Amino acid sequence: MTYELSINKINTFSENLANARKQNLIIEPIPNNICKNSKLVKKIRSLAEKKLKWQPYGFKIGATNKKISKVLKAKEPFYSYLFKETLFKNHSKLKLTKNTLGIELEIAYKISRKIFKQKIKNKSQLKQFIFGLAPAIELVGFRQNLRNIKYAGQAAIDFGLNISFVKSKIYKEKNILNFSSKTELVNLNTKKIYNGHSNQVMNNPINSLFWLIKKLQKQNISLSEDFWVSTGTTTPIIPVKKGDHFIGKINKIGKKVYVKF
């Protein structure tokens, strides 16, 4: 395959992914040899996000949960944009689609845009730019016609193109760099409780945030508005079905987020 043909293929795959997101469609799986190439995965995902022409609202980080990272055989986390078009208010009702994996309960940080004007070298520098944190529920899935995802590239290549993001109001935590709490998702229909903990996210979600900011600096990526960063799931991915009603909670602060399907 020539370099010129490779560029054409990248354009084709990214266009297919963007159109699938816009039209809520499922496409044929992207070949494994492409999904196993991390550089191609990043190029296709990034170009697909640009082709959407949606408004970035922040960033979502994946493969930060220890157990999920192991399943995906992920060597490091990956990230994508969060878009205003897929941001929903607390107590929203979301529509389920084919190839929905389920929901995750995450800890999200509200960050000042001023962070992009300073070189961040250590985690202690993050504190001055964090407005607070909030529980967030994400509805996740994939745009490819796959029964399951076996490795990181399959998830990363259309990461962010599937996510719907629901958050509560922010909580101002004094000890933000060392925040630690149990978390839980409750299915209010079945009363089943799914327990989690903030330490499932790279031992501390602040580590996930620091990883992202360093990556954005290296790639010279910034936003012109204050933004949100969702750091990765504190719980397993919880399956959902039509009619389900969930509440997510960070136990230490008592903040809650609700979503219906």
Short mmCIF file of all heavy atoms in Angstrom, two decimals, residues 86 88 92-96 103 137-139 164-166 259-261:
data_model
loop_
_atom_site.label_atom_id
_atom_site.label_comp_id
_atom_site.label_asym_id
_atom_site.label_seq_id
_atom_site.Cartn_x
_atom_site.Cartn_y
_atom_site.Cartn_z
N THR A 86 -23.46 16.18 22.77
CA THR A 86 -23.80 14.95 23.50
C THR A 86 -23.72 15.16 25.02
O THR A 86 -23.57 14.21 25.78
CB THR A 86 -22.86 13.80 23.09
OG1 THR A 86 -21.49 14.22 23.23
CG2 THR A 86 -23.11 13.39 21.65
N PHE A 88 -25.74 16.25 28.38
CA PHE A 88 -27.11 16.29 28.85
C PHE A 88 -27.17 16.73 30.30
O PHE A 88 -26.26 16.45 31.08
CB PHE A 88 -27.76 14.90 28.71
CG PHE A 88 -27.90 14.44 27.29
CD1 PHE A 88 -26.86 13.77 26.66
CD2 PHE A 88 -29.05 14.70 26.58
CE1 PHE A 88 -26.96 13.35 25.34
CE2 PHE A 88 -29.18 14.29 25.26
CZ PHE A 88 -28.13 13.62 24.64
N SER A 92 -31.71 13.70 32.82
CA SER A 92 -32.09 13.56 31.42
C SER A 92 -32.51 12.13 31.09
O SER A 92 -32.20 11.19 31.83
CB SER A 92 -30.92 13.95 30.50
OG SER A 92 -30.71 15.34 30.52
N LYS A 93 -33.22 11.98 29.98
CA LYS A 93 -33.58 10.67 29.45
C LYS A 93 -32.80 10.47 28.15
O LYS A 93 -32.90 11.27 27.22
CB LYS A 93 -35.08 10.57 29.18
CG LYS A 93 -35.51 9.20 28.67
CD LYS A 93 -37.01 9.15 28.38
CE LYS A 93 -37.82 9.16 29.66
NZ LYS A 93 -39.28 8.95 29.37
N LEU A 94 -32.02 9.40 28.09
CA LEU A 94 -31.18 9.12 26.93
C LEU A 94 -31.76 7.98 26.10
O LEU A 94 -32.40 7.08 26.63
CB LEU A 94 -29.75 8.77 27.36
CG LEU A 94 -29.00 9.79 28.21
CD1 LEU A 94 -27.58 9.35 28.43
CD2 LEU A 94 -29.04 11.16 27.57
N LYS A 95 -31.47 8.03 24.82
CA LYS A 95 -31.95 7.01 23.90
C LYS A 95 -30.90 5.93 23.72
O LYS A 95 -29.74 6.21 23.44
CB LYS A 95 -32.28 7.64 22.54
CG LYS A 95 -32.89 6.67 21.54
CD LYS A 95 -33.23 7.39 20.24
CE LYS A 95 -33.85 6.44 19.23
NZ LYS A 95 -34.17 7.13 17.96
N LEU A 96 -31.31 4.67 23.88
CA LEU A 96 -30.41 3.55 23.66
C LEU A 96 -30.34 3.21 22.18
O LEU A 96 -31.32 3.32 21.46
CB LEU A 96 -30.89 2.32 24.45
CG LEU A 96 -30.87 2.45 25.97
CD1 LEU A 96 -31.48 1.22 26.60
CD2 LEU A 96 -29.44 2.64 26.47
N ILE A 103 -23.34 1.81 30.90
CA ILE A 103 -23.00 3.09 31.52
C ILE A 103 -21.83 2.93 32.48
O ILE A 103 -21.55 1.84 32.99
CB ILE A 103 -24.20 3.71 32.25
CG1 ILE A 103 -24.73 2.78 33.35
CG2 ILE A 103 -25.28 4.08 31.28
CD1 ILE A 103 -25.79 3.43 34.22
N ILE A 137 -22.24 10.33 34.64
CA ILE A 137 -22.62 9.06 34.04
C ILE A 137 -22.42 9.17 32.54
O ILE A 137 -22.86 10.14 31.92
CB ILE A 137 -24.09 8.69 34.36
CG1 ILE A 137 -24.21 8.30 35.84
CG2 ILE A 137 -24.56 7.53 33.48
CD1 ILE A 137 -25.64 7.98 36.27
N GLU A 138 -21.75 8.18 31.99
CA GLU A 138 -21.53 8.15 30.56
C GLU A 138 -22.18 6.91 29.95
O GLU A 138 -22.04 5.81 30.47
CB GLU A 138 -20.04 8.15 30.23
CG GLU A 138 -19.38 9.47 30.57
CD GLU A 138 -17.93 9.51 30.19
OE1 GLU A 138 -17.46 8.56 29.54
OE2 GLU A 138 -17.27 10.50 30.54
N LEU A 139 -22.91 7.13 28.88
CA LEU A 139 -23.45 6.03 28.08
C LEU A 139 -22.45 5.75 26.98
O LEU A 139 -22.14 6.62 26.17
CB LEU A 139 -24.80 6.44 27.48
CG LEU A 139 -25.48 5.43 26.56
CD1 LEU A 139 -25.90 4.19 27.33
CD2 LEU A 139 -26.69 6.06 25.88
N SER A 164 -22.45 9.71 25.52
CA SER A 164 -23.37 10.73 26.00
C SER A 164 -23.01 10.99 27.46
O SER A 164 -22.77 10.05 28.23
CB SER A 164 -24.82 10.25 25.89
OG SER A 164 -25.17 10.04 24.54
N PHE A 165 -22.96 12.25 27.83
CA PHE A 165 -22.35 12.67 29.10
C PHE A 165 -23.38 13.40 29.96
O PHE A 165 -23.97 14.38 29.51
CB PHE A 165 -21.16 13.57 28.77
CG PHE A 165 -20.36 14.06 29.95
CD1 PHE A 165 -19.64 13.16 30.73
CD2 PHE A 165 -20.29 15.41 30.24
CE1 PHE A 165 -18.88 13.62 31.79
CE2 PHE A 165 -19.53 15.87 31.30
CZ PHE A 165 -18.82 14.98 32.08
N VAL A 166 -23.61 12.89 31.17
CA VAL A 166 -24.55 13.50 32.10
C VAL A 166 -23.83 13.76 33.41
O VAL A 166 -23.21 12.85 33.97
CB VAL A 166 -25.76 12.58 32.38
CG1 VAL A 166 -26.77 13.28 33.28
CG2 VAL A 166 -26.43 12.15 31.09
N VAL A 259 -30.08 9.43 35.59
CA VAL A 259 -30.33 9.30 34.16
C VAL A 259 -31.38 8.20 33.93
O VAL A 259 -31.43 7.20 34.64
CB VAL A 259 -29.02 8.98 33.39
CG1 VAL A 259 -28.47 7.61 33.77
CG2 VAL A 259 -29.23 9.07 31.89
N LYS A 260 -32.23 8.41 32.91
CA LYS A 260 -33.24 7.43 32.51
C LYS A 260 -32.98 7.03 31.07
O LYS A 260 -32.33 7.73 30.31
CB LYS A 260 -34.65 8.02 32.64
CG LYS A 260 -35.07 8.34 34.05
CD LYS A 260 -36.51 8.90 34.05
CE LYS A 260 -36.97 9.22 35.46
NZ LYS A 260 -38.36 9.76 35.47
N PHE A 261 -33.54 5.87 30.68
CA PHE A 261 -33.37 5.39 29.32
C PHE A 261 -34.73 4.99 28.74
O PHE A 261 -35.52 4.36 29.41
CB PHE A 261 -32.42 4.19 29.28
CG PHE A 261 -31.04 4.53 29.78
CD1 PHE A 261 -30.70 4.32 31.11
CD2 PHE A 261 -30.12 5.10 28.95
CE1 PHE A 261 -29.45 4.67 31.58
CE2 PHE A 261 -28.86 5.45 29.39
CZ PHE A 261 -28.52 5.23 30.72
#
